Amino acid sequence: MNVWKHLRSWEGFLGLVLLLTIAINAFNSDAFLSIDNQINLFSLSIEKVIIALIMAFIIINAEIDLSVASMMGLSACALGWLVDSGVGMPMALALCLIIGMAGGLFNGFWITFMKLPSLVVTLAMLIGFRGLARVLVEDRSIRVFPKWFEDLGQHPILGPFPLAVLIFFLLLLVAVGVLRFTGFGRYVYVIGINQDMARYSGIHVTRVKLILFTASGIISALAGILFAARLGSVRGDMGLGFELDIITMVLLGGVSIFGGSGSIFGVILSILIVLYLRNGMSLSNITGHLQTGVIGMLLIFSAMVPNLKSYWESLQARSS
Amino acid sequence: MNALQGLRPEKLRELVLLLLIVAVLVFFSSMIENYLNARLFNRVSASVALMAVLAIGQTMVVLTRNIDLSVGSIVGFTAYFVGQQLSQNNEMHPVLAIVMAVGVGALMGGINGVLVAYCRIPSIIVTLGTMALYRTLLVEYSDAQTVLTVNLPRWLLNLPSLNVFSIDRLHLRVMVLGMIAVVVLFQILLRYTSFGRKLYAIGSNPEAARMAGFANQRIVLSAFLLCGALAGLTGFMFLARFGNITVVAGIGFELKSVAAVVVGGVNIFGGSGSVVGAFLGAALIDLLENSLIRWLQISEFWRDALLGLLILTSVATDSVIMKRFQGYWARKQAQAVPETQER
Amino acid sequence: MTKKFLAMAAAALLASSGLVMAHTIAKKGMKADLVLMPKFLGILVFDQANQGAQEAHRELQNPGKLEFLGPTPENSVAGQIEILTTATTQGQDGIMISNNAGDQIAPAAKAARSKGMTVVTWDSPIPSAEGEQLFIAQVDFNETGTVMADMALNIIGAGGGEFAVLSASPDAANQNAWIAAMKEALKNPKYSAIKLVDVVYGDDQSEKSYNQALALVDKYPNLQLIMAPTTVGIAAAAKAMQDEGLCDKVKTSGLGLPAEMVSYTMNGCAPEFALWSFVDLGYLSYYATYLIATGQIEGIAGETFKAGRMGYYTIEKDPTRAEGLRVLMGPFTVYDQSNVEAASK
């Protein structure tokens, strides 16, 4: 099928870029391949990577969620505020996840029942959730977490892997399992291809979307908790701007912005590429602006490649 | 007859927006003392001027079922570039400075347009990429230097306070007049030229448009060129208003322009919306922001939370009202058909 | 006999204490790979700090490298943590941080320390001092409060009046410390005539700061002064007052760069403001970090060292924080019409 060929060419291209990146990095710096560095480069962006998993689902579903980073910040600030107000850790953690769920449901409500475009709703909530985070934390930085919480966030617990990385692996398995092997996963694709057709086929579109946005809220909240643990303290501006990085990772992975195609495998490849590129450039002391510029060029270029390939093929077909 | 009925929903949307603006004004005048006066008009109009011009540029692109996330970086770069050129030649003619800003912006928008229209890359990907690239360009070009007000020519620094005319304490600033000119110009462009009609056509059904023989690629490219040009103009206004330009100029403007466009009733999937709507959307958001800042009862920190909620409710209200009326107009049209058939 | 003995003992004692109190003069040519990390790149003041650090680097003839690395402004907090973590991986000998991440950088700083890296902060410290060996303070943070209060009193005058603060981001540790210090200072009856009515945040963005300045004027009709302890805020507020023709009624002051403020000072919108030399701050930070990284000083309270052309500095306990050591650089420079033009060249 055409769709599979398209996917293969994108992911093949990504695979090549990844190998190239690893080779250049290893050549440039001895430190690159060390276990320490590998764990670090993942840990530094683990929250974004976790959210990218659910974002892939949402974009395949032909929707978008711009509020994920603000929800991450909100849940982290809520955790700090709750603990600071005397609430015990287990209760505070549970409440944060509930806040995530509520936020996701809130988004889902406006998208499915009020039928507003998800771009609009989540853009408004990008501002709204961030505002709520600020209301809780104001101009303070809250540092009240018990040592065990910070240890979980900052130090390895199983071999060299910190908790956040382990949670990511778990969520990865769930994501691949659901997307490729369950009916729900198929519905996500079908709705992404054509929402009305899906509805006529008897798929409960509203339920699927509500589930996706609620999941997005809960996972963003979870990422916020992990973020708070890693940093040891919370501030009102945590995670500001992360949503664009997350979306870049998903789009670079070959997930079409129009919905209906893409795979977790592609997203994983793109995550690796982005993280390795950034790490390699950091190790070579290339500054943040240039890094962002390179990622930007890579994004555009990788979108061009499948088009170039089909353009080339159509040229050949015409000349023959 | 059909064309008129096609216009109706958009006129209605603009009316709803006006009502929302009035509602906001009424609400806040009851909450804040000394609110509804000439000074509010002066403040808000000066601040809206920038965002409205940018929102109109974004509208061009969104109508064709695309998006331009790089506008913030374009604004920043053109503001810096023109500022630097003016710092080095203070004698440069004002019109030349504006043309330079618009030109540089159009060039950057053109790059977006080529990648979207001819290389067939989705606009969100292109403009996410160019947002980063143009910002990097600004950082590298500026080499951490700031454009300083002390080096800028007098006329530029005085521009924000220059009035076209004043009635008592109500001032109509030159930049506000400029914005109004842009609104009128582009409203005419969209409504009364074939180019405008083609923009709508491509946005609502690209395939049908292509089959009808429209040069889709050229038109989409033009949309991005115009968006870039208006972003460049916004950059010039930014320079005039703030003077000191650093590498963070314009960060966040892309989301603000999309919010204004969306609140203004422009369909994010393309095909419908108006320039006046986008202008009203920008005005409503700016009015909300400026009113919330001045509301003494609300702490600094509640502002953004309320703003997000207000944007959501205004879009929802708009959507609910539009759906009601669309049903009404559909029925009216069905009733009108037998009459035309008799003729 | 006893007197002579006592005298000799006293002399010996003095001599030995003189040895203990020796000032460390930096030995040149020792190798140390150092990183200078500003809050973010693209801002003039941090480039000036780099200038100072490079000057010190050349003077000390350090065969190692001095890297100037910083994050983008949109990604400052996460970016700083990443650069610090990467520097640790690379095995750098020392890093000088102008901290924008509050205590969130503490875990990464502690990890760096455990690998033997020297971690010194300048301009903005790690509030809890965890992971930080030393803070090079441009000025005493408490004194900043007094300087701002003094400028406010000077501008508003004995007749009294209202003023407001336009700060940067609500998370900025240094601004928050200065504002807190100013509020403390204002309790002194000397300042009873002036009243602080509000603190608002401009997020170090021109548009926000500009709009906030105008909103302040609208909210508080009797406002006489906007105090902005941030170079972006003070410039934006001054422009706003100038654009609206309010400079006679509402003055602007705070911390600003002479180059950016010169036109506003000369036309009276910002009659007085203060700052310190970022070049000197970078220079001093480099010297301190070089000395600690090469083991010439330990970085404990009481040590004194000579920082090249700037003279002698002593490490002391930081009185403005619960924990932490600092080296206090030096005085404020208050700029007004008499000296701003010369300084802006």
Side-chain angles (χ1 to χ4, degrees), chain C residues 223-251:
Chain C
L223 196 72
Q224 290 190 23
L225 169 68
I226 297 178
M227 179 69 70
T230 146
T231 55
V232 173
I234 191 178
K239 183 105 194 337
M241 295 305 113
Q242 184 180 293
D243 285 348
E244 298 294 319
L246 288 167
C247 280
D248 292 325
K249 195 163 167 286
V250 183
K251 303 281 180 218

Side-chain angles (χ1 to χ4, degrees), chain A:
Chain A
M1 286 198 315
N2 257 343
V3 179
W4 284 112
K5 256 210 246 167
H6 177 267
L7 281 179
R8 261 206 293 267
S9 83
W10 190 300
E11 276 142 3
F13 172 70
L14 285 182
L16 253 135
V17 173
L18 180 60
L19 285 171
L20 201 64
T21 309
I22 294 179
I24 296 180
N25 284 351
F27 182 71
N28 249 348
S29 162
D30 305 317
F32 176 68
L33 288 172
S34 67
I35 295 280
D36 241 3
N37 184 50
Q38 293 287 316
I39 295 290
N40 270 339
L41 68 86
F42 278 103
S43 302
L44 284 170
S45 308
I46 196 70
E47 299 86 16
K48 289 188 208 175
V49 164
I50 287 175
I51 296 180
L53 290 176
I54 185 70
M55 185 65 85
F57 274 76
I58 292 191
I59 296 186
I60 290 177
N61 196 243
E63 301 284 0
I64 197 162
D65 190 347
L66 293 173
S67 66
V68 287
S70 299
M71 173 50 83
M72 185 171 92
L74 174 58
S75 112
C77 290
L79 186 67
W81 181 77
L82 285 167
V83 174
D84 197 39
S85 313
V87 177
M89 278 302 284
M91 175 67 116
L93 289 169
L95 278 174
C96 282
L97 290 174
I98 292 178
I99 289 176
M101 186 174 80
L105 271 171
F106 185 76
N107 283 341
F109 165 73
W110 293 94
I111 294 169
T112 55
F113 288 107
M114 300 299 289
K115 305 251 195 284
L116 295 178
S118 55
L119 182 79
V120 174
V121 174
T122 57
L123 179 60
M125 282 305 105
L126 176 149
I127 302 173
F129 291 155
R130 178 68 56 193
L132 282 176
R134 280 241 178 264
V135 169
L136 291 176
V137 167
E138 293 192 348
D139 57 356
R140 303 173 293 147
S141 153
I142 305 185
R143 281 197 88 204
V144 289
F145 301 120
K147 188 151 190 316
W148 64 261
F149 184 65
E150 292 191 27
D151 278 342
L152 272 182
Q154 296 159 22
H155 299 126
I157 62 170
L158 194 67
F161 300 113
L163 178 65
V165 177
L166 293 171
I167 291 183
F168 166 69
F169 284 137
L170 185 64
L171 287 173
L172 177 61
L173 284 173
V174 171
V176 172
V178 169
L179 199 58
R180 289 196 64 183
F181 299 114
T182 67
F184 183 81
R186 275 194 294 279
Y187 294 164
V188 171
Y189 276 105
V190 172
I191 296 174
I193 294 175
N194 190 325
Q195 193 172 309
D196 292 322
M197 185 185 83
R199 189 172 289 127
Y200 297 149
S201 323
I203 297 177
H204 205 300
V205 173
T206 307
R207 192 188 301 161
V208 171
K209 288 197 193 280
L210 272 176
I211 291 177
L212 283 181
F213 279 97
T214 310
S216 176
I218 297 178
I219 292 181
S220 303
L222 176 62
I225 293 173
L226 292 170
F227 200 28
R230 175 161 75 87
L231 261 40
S233 60
V234 298
R235 283 168 35 148
D237 64 352
M238 287 175 79
L240 201 64
F242 279 17
E243 63 278 334
L244 290 177
D245 272 349
I246 296 168
I247 292 173
T248 301
M249 279 191 231
V250 172
L251 291 180
L252 182 61
V255 174
S256 167
I257 191 65
F258 303 116
S261 76
S263 71
I264 298 288
F265 178 57
V267 174
I268 294 298
L269 282 177
S270 103
I271 287 174
L272 285 172
I273 291 177
V274 171
L275 293 184
Y276 280 163
L277 262 179
R278 280 201 185 273
N279 180 252
M281 288 192 277
S282 294
L283 285 172
S284 306
N285 295 329
I286 296 179
T287 69
H289 285 290
L290 284 171
Q291 288 183 21
T292 322
V294 168
I295 306 275
M297 275 211 288
L298 181 62
L299 188 62
I300 295 179
F301 195 63
S302 52
M304 266 208 279
V305 165
N307 289 349
L308 282 177
K309 193 164 184 287
S310 51
Y311 183 65
W312 177 253
E313 281 165 1
S314 73
L315 270 182
Q316 289 191 313
R318 233 182 287 164
S319 63
S320 60

Side-chain angles (χ1 to χ4, degrees), chain B residues 5-330:
Chain B
Q5 273 164 344
L7 274 180
R8 283 284 181 178
E10 292 183 337
K11 277 263 171 338
L12 179 64
R13 177 159 269 134
E14 291 160 18
L15 197 59
V16 170
L17 279 168
L18 267 172
L19 281 172
L20 279 171
I21 290 178
V22 169
V24 167
L25 284 170
V26 166
F27 174 72
F28 280 105
S29 59
S30 70
M31 292 279 144
I32 306 174
E33 53 174 74
N34 228 353
Y35 173 77
L36 210 55
N37 54 21
R39 194 181 55 197
L40 181 72
F41 176 80
N42 295 342
R43 301 269 189 266
V44 173
S45 63
S47 152
V48 169
L50 269 79
M51 283 321 292
V53 171
L54 195 62
I56 292 172
Q58 185 73 251
T59 305
M60 296 292 119
V61 164
V62 170
L63 280 177
T64 64
R65 210 186 267 193
N66 286 305
I67 195 170
D68 190 345
L69 294 175
S70 67
V71 289
S73 304
I74 296 180
V75 168
F77 185 81
T78 48
Y80 189 92
F81 182 77
V82 175
Q84 204 215 33
Q85 297 301 311
L86 280 173
S87 300
Q88 288 167 352
N89 328 333
N90 270 20
E91 299 78 38
M92 193 190 299
H93 196 280
V95 172
L96 182 57
I98 297 179
V99 167
M100 192 190 296
V102 169
V104 170
L107 183 63
M108 294 167 98
I111 294 175
N112 286 337
V114 165
L115 288 170
V116 172
Y118 293 97
C119 298
R120 309 264 284 280
I121 308 175
S123 57
I124 191 171
I125 292 185
V126 169
T127 56
L128 263 180
T130 49
M131 174 170 92
L133 281 169
Y134 291 157
R135 183 66 57 186
T136 305
L137 183 65
L138 171 57
V139 175
E140 292 301 308
Y141 180 78
S142 74
D143 206 22
Q145 298 301 307
T146 312
V147 167
L148 301 168
T149 42
V150 67
N151 295 328
L152 292 170
R154 217 64 303 261
W155 64 264
L156 185 68
L157 296 173
N158 288 336
L159 192 58
S161 38
L162 212 57
N163 295 335
V164 174
F165 64 81
S166 310
I167 305 171
D168 194 18
R169 283 211 290 217
L170 192 136
H171 306 303
L172 186 68
R173 302 264 163 84
V174 167
M175 297 221 286
V176 175
L177 187 66
M179 166 196 73
I180 294 178
V182 170
V183 170
V184 168
L185 189 68
F186 277 81
Q187 177 75 353
I188 295 176
L189 180 74
L190 276 189
R191 186 68 77 228
Y192 299 111
T193 66
S194 73
F195 172 74
R197 278 194 288 279
K198 287 179 189 163
L199 275 181
Y200 282 105
I202 293 178
S204 39
N205 196 332
E207 282 312 311
R210 188 173 309 129
M211 284 195 261
F214 289 174
N216 278 19
Q217 288 170 321
R218 235 178 331 157
I219 293 174
V220 169
L221 173 62
S222 310
F224 276 97
L225 275 169
L226 284 173
C227 180
L230 284 174
L233 181 59
T234 309
F236 174 79
M237 292 165 81
F238 186 95
L239 173 66
R241 189 161 155 86
F242 301 114
N244 281 329
I245 308 290
T246 64
V247 295
V248 302
I251 287 185
F253 274 27
E254 57 286 330
L255 286 181
K256 272 183 137 170
S257 68
V258 171
V261 155
V262 145
V263 167
V266 177
N267 191 333
I268 201 72
F269 299 116
S272 77
S274 70
V275 164
V276 171
F279 161 67
L280 289 173
L284 178 58
I285 292 185
D286 202 270
L287 180 63
L288 275 172
E289 269 188 317
N290 272 311
S291 306
L292 285 170
I293 297 184
R294 285 169 172 74
W295 195 5
L296 279 168
Q297 270 72 0
I298 286 291
S299 93
E300 190 66 26
F301 303 108
W302 274 100
R303 235 190 319 130
D304 278 342
L306 284 176
L307 186 63
L309 196 62
L310 284 167
I311 291 179
L312 202 53
T313 39
S314 61
V315 178
T317 316
D318 184 75
S319 157
V320 161
I321 297 183
M322 288 312 299
K323 286 209 175 41
R324 284 267 159 90
F325 272 90
Q326 257 157 14
Y328 171 69
W329 283 118

Side-chain angles (χ1 to χ4, degrees), chain C residues 38 45 63 76 80 85-86 111 113 128 186 240 249 323:
Chain C
V45 292
S76 176
Q80 283 202 316
T85 310
T86 308
R113 290 286 299 123
S128 64
L186 286 172
K249 195 163 167 286
E323 299 282 332

Side-chain angles (χ1 to χ4, degrees), chain C residues 8 19 123 173 180 239 256 259 310 320:
Chain C
M8 272 173 47
L19 269 170
D123 176 50
K239 183 105 194 337
M310 285 177 71
T320 63

